[in-house]
Amino acid sequence: MRGIIGHSISQQQNPLQTLTFTLLTLPLSFLLLLLLSFTILDPIHHNNRLHVWTHGNNDLLLASILSVYLILVLAFRVLSTTGIVYSIASTNFHSNRPFTLGPFPFAANIPYILCRVLVTYLWSFTFVFFLVGVFLASLLLIDVSLSFGPMFAYIASSWVVGLLFVGVLFRSACVFRLASIVSVLDQSTYGLGAINKCGFFLLKGRGVVASSLYSLYLIFALGVVVAFGFAQMNVVRPGFRMLVVFAFAFVLAFVDQMGMVAFTILYFHCKAYHNESVDLEHLHANCSRECLDVGAPSHPIETTRQA
């Protein structure tokens, strides 16, 4: 894990590359904090506005906003994932000149690549919705069957179901993040196939490392969100509140791109652990010359399994 973190940090040595990666994830972070601000923090900060989101005809408005938010999140996540993953792959395998903001690295193949990643994310969302449905159904079953029984059995069953739900959701999140990278870099693997490959093969023997990396990412991201909440609650003027949103969105975007870089490096380490070679022909076929020449001084990734 230390090697993966160190390698990820080394990818941030080029300021222009770091800024580009951060800007790729900035819209997603900004949308998240903006939604958090207007739907939760503002109503709490101004108690008289709480009814705007909780009563009457505004339910349809809230549902519409959340639907648009999910669509935008999906679009920006697909774009940022593809851009960062290809750039990191190119940096480590084809680094001949400094990072530049030339033509988008995969411009010629955008429709094909984005469709692959989009299908993977849609499968991920479908599984999460299914998992939430199973969780709610289990709680309902517990409520119906044990509500008139011993209180201890009711509470214990609810806790067990809740912990199982959190554990499965956490493991799934690790798999989904790695599956999005597989969808970009593996020639014929995407969607459900990428999810299955990560869950049953690539993460075999590397599950603890992936969980540790994702836990570290969540700790930093949650820290930024909590600090943002405290800042928003203590700032009164609307102009300053929006400035706080932009500032924390930039910090959260940096954390997010660091997480994506770390999981991209993890992908190469998992390939090496299972004695799989990286498909350089596919990388050549789907990257333009600008992409293949991108990068700061590279740190070659191990291509052999270590004991």
Side-chain angles (χ1 to χ4, degrees), residues 102-161:
F104 218 52
F106 42 92
N109 301 279
I110 277 182
Y112 175 67
I113 298 168
L114 295 189
C115 284
R116 287 160 54 93
V117 182
L118 177 62
V119 169
T120 301
Y121 274 115
L122 287 176
W123 272 108
S124 303
F125 280 18
T126 301
F127 182 82
V128 169
F129 288 138
F130 172 76
L131 188 61
V132 171
V134 171
F135 172 65
L136 295 177
S138 300
L139 290 182
L140 180 62
L141 181 62
I142 291 173
D143 186 64
V144 171
S145 59
L146 297 177
S147 57
F148 298 103
M151 182 60 66
F152 173 78
Y154 178 81
I155 295 176
S157 300
S158 300
W159 270 98
V160 168
V161 170

